[in-house]
Amino acid sequence: MVDPFFDSLANALGGQLAVALGTAAQGALAKVRSLLRRRGDSDPETMAALTAAEQPSAGEPQIKALAERLDRVAQDDPEFDAEVRAAGSSVHVELSASQSRVVNQNSGEVRTLVQTEQINGDITFN
C-alpha cells in the first residue's frame, strides 16, 4: 500500500487536486516539483512518472503510478524521503483536511493538549 503522504503529493502534482490548495501549499508543491525535476537527471523512471501524471489527459492510473514511484524511491533513499516530506508536508495536510478529514497539528510546548475529531460528552482537566 502506498503511503498516504505520497498519494496526496501525486494527486496534487498531477493537477487532480491542485486547485484545492491554498497559497502556502501551492508554494510547497512547487518545491516538491523542483526536487523531483532535479532528481530526474539521475532517475528517469521518476521523471517519466511525473511527466505522465502532469499531462492534461492523465487519469487515475498515471497518478497511482507516480504515487507508487515516489513511495518506492523514498524507501530506497532516506535523504530524498526527508527532503520531499519536509517540502510537501503542507500539501499533504491541506489535502487531508480538504477531504473531510480532521488534521491535528501541534508544535511547541504545551501542558495539556487534546486533539480529536469528535467528542461525545464532557472533558475535565485536573
Side-chain angles (χ1 to χ4, degrees):
M1 178 175 197
V2 173
D3 184 323
F5 178 84
F6 295 115
D7 191 45
S8 293
L9 283 184
N11 276 288
L13 287 164
Q16 302 296 312
L17 299 173
V19 294
L21 297 176
T23 305
Q26 287 284 355
L29 189 59
K31 287 180 185 176
V32 169
R33 190 173 271 117
S34 176
L35 283 169
L36 293 175
R37 292 199 189 290
R38 271 196 331 232
R39 185 178 178 84
D41 293 336
S42 62
D43 185 356
E45 289 180 65
T46 299
M47 198 64 216
L50 174 62
T51 301
E54 290 178 325
Q55 298 303 309
S57 60
E60 188 177 334
Q62 290 80 19
I63 302 299
K64 183 178 179 184
L66 177 58
E68 289 172 349
R69 182 68 193 156
L70 292 175
D71 191 61
R72 195 170 321 118
V73 170
Q75 289 177 22
D76 294 342
D77 185 347
E79 186 176 316
F80 175 77
D81 183 42
E83 285 182 304
V84 170
R85 286 182 187 277
S89 64
S90 64
V91 174
H92 176 65
V93 168
E94 196 166 317
L95 287 178
S96 296
S98 70
Q99 295 170 352
S100 299
R101 295 182 185 153
V102 172
V103 178
N104 295 312
Q105 288 187 300
N106 177 63
S107 62
E109 189 174 321
V110 296
R111 181 164 176 228
T112 303
L113 173 68
V114 175
Q115 293 184 318
T116 182
E117 180 175 347
Q118 183 176 353
I119 297 174
N120 296 313
D122 298 331
I123 295 179
T124 304
F125 297 100
N126 295 321

